[in-house]
Amino acid sequence: MISYFTSSFEVDCGKISQFKNIPGVSSEKSGDAILIDMLRSYAAGFIFTTSLPPTVLAGACKAIEILASEEGRQLREKHQANVKHLRNELLKRGFPVEHTPSHIIPIKIGNPLQCGAVSDMLLKEKGHYIQAINYPTVARGEEKLRLAPTPHHSKELMNKLVEDLSEVWAELKLPLGGLQCGQECKFCHQPILFDLFESRENSRNSMHNCNIPNCPQIVAAPA
């Protein structure tokens, strides 16, 4: 990733944040030798006072231990099954769901006021906390909700969310547009092959290989 930022785009300084991965904190910077020497010399007070806290390291070690265990395998399978179930239920109702390779389920709204209204009503009237994602996190006109089911959500809870979201959607008179994605990858323009968000593998392993570095195109892995 460091070489991707420094070589592919020839930027002066690249930063990689790790706030959302296993360690929970930390980041790295990349750049030319002069820049790195300057940071070592003049940012020493910052560099050498930000070692990872023992509690964070202990949590990271435990997370890796669980991920490598049978419990971790079962949690991943349950997580993927829950994501598939919730996405399919949303699609059945015609919600404008977007393609994504992760567990996050985006529902496009395209208006910041409406997006905030849906989020507020779900929390205040239905008891569901669903974040509204607005500019500058996404481009203007791409405002959306982001749902993130976990392995610990039951089908009953997810079905209740879909039912409550349908009521809020109808009350606000929002359109139901169905699946919100084209028939080709926006990056490499190869046909999009994954269907219903099944388990995936990188397109370099498929017959529809893309030669563009770092292309996000992915395909559904065989069942």
Side-chain angles (χ1 to χ4, degrees):
M1 185 176 290
I2 290 176
S3 63
Y4 174 81
F5 280 111
T6 56
S7 300
S8 300
F9 293 97
E10 298 182 353
V11 296
D12 295 323
C13 180
K15 178 181 178 182
I16 302 171
S17 174
Q18 295 187 6
F19 289 107
K20 293 187 178 181
N21 66 7
I22 290 175
V25 296
S26 177
S27 65
E28 297 81 36
K29 283 185 169 51
S30 62
D32 60 29
I34 295 176
L35 173 64
I36 299 304
D37 283 344
M38 184 275 290
L39 290 175
R40 288 198 184 101
S41 299
Y42 293 98
F46 175 75
I47 292 173
F48 296 109
T49 59
T50 54
S51 58
L52 292 174
T55 52
V56 172
L57 291 173
C61 290
K62 188 62 179 179
I64 294 172
E65 179 184 329
I66 292 174
L67 286 171
S69 68
E70 176 63 18
E71 177 189 2
R73 185 190 65 78
Q74 293 177 1
L75 284 171
R76 288 192 295 276
E77 288 183 356
K78 179 63 174 175
H79 194 193
Q80 292 169 8
N82 280 354
V83 172
K84 178 181 177 181
H85 174 79
L86 182 55
R87 279 178 170 145
N88 287 343
E89 291 302 310
L90 290 166
L91 287 171
K92 288 178 184 177
R93 297 291 187 106
F95 284 104
V97 176
E98 296 179 323
H99 267 312
T100 172
S102 78
H103 67 286
I104 297 173
I105 305 174
I107 302 178
K108 184 176 179 179
I109 295 179
N111 180 292
L113 297 179
Q114 292 175 336
C115 198
V118 174
S119 179
D120 290 344
M121 289 179 65
L122 282 173
L123 180 60
K124 295 176 181 178
E125 300 180 13
K126 307 294 185 180
H128 304 290
Y129 176 58
I130 305 294
Q131 281 189 307
I133 309 299
N134 296 322
Y135 177 86
T137 305
V138 295
R140 289 186 175 92
E142 295 294 323
E143 293 83 5
K144 63 197 67 183
L145 302 177
R146 282 181 179 167
L147 284 65
T150 74
H152 305 292
H153 284 103
S154 66
K155 286 188 176 180
E156 291 74 21
L157 286 173
M158 292 185 285
N159 293 342
K160 176 62 174 172
L161 169 62
V162 174
E163 186 67 34
D164 290 342
L165 182 58
S166 297
E167 293 179 4
V168 170
W169 212 266
E171 185 172 344
L172 293 174
K173 297 181 172 58
L174 298 178
L176 293 170
L179 192 61
Q180 298 291 299
C181 58
Q183 297 302 309
E184 64 178 25
C185 173
K186 294 180 180 179
F187 190 79
C188 70
H189 304 293
Q190 293 277 4
I192 287 181
L193 303 176
F194 52 97
D195 182 40
L196 293 181
F197 315 96
E198 302 287 349
S199 58
R200 297 151 170 88
E201 60 183 12
N202 194 287
S203 63
R204 69 171 63 95
N205 297 322
S206 78
M207 66 180 68
H208 295 269
N209 188 31
C210 173
N211 295 320
I212 299 177
N214 306 299
C215 177
Q217 164 75 331
I218 49 179
V219 298

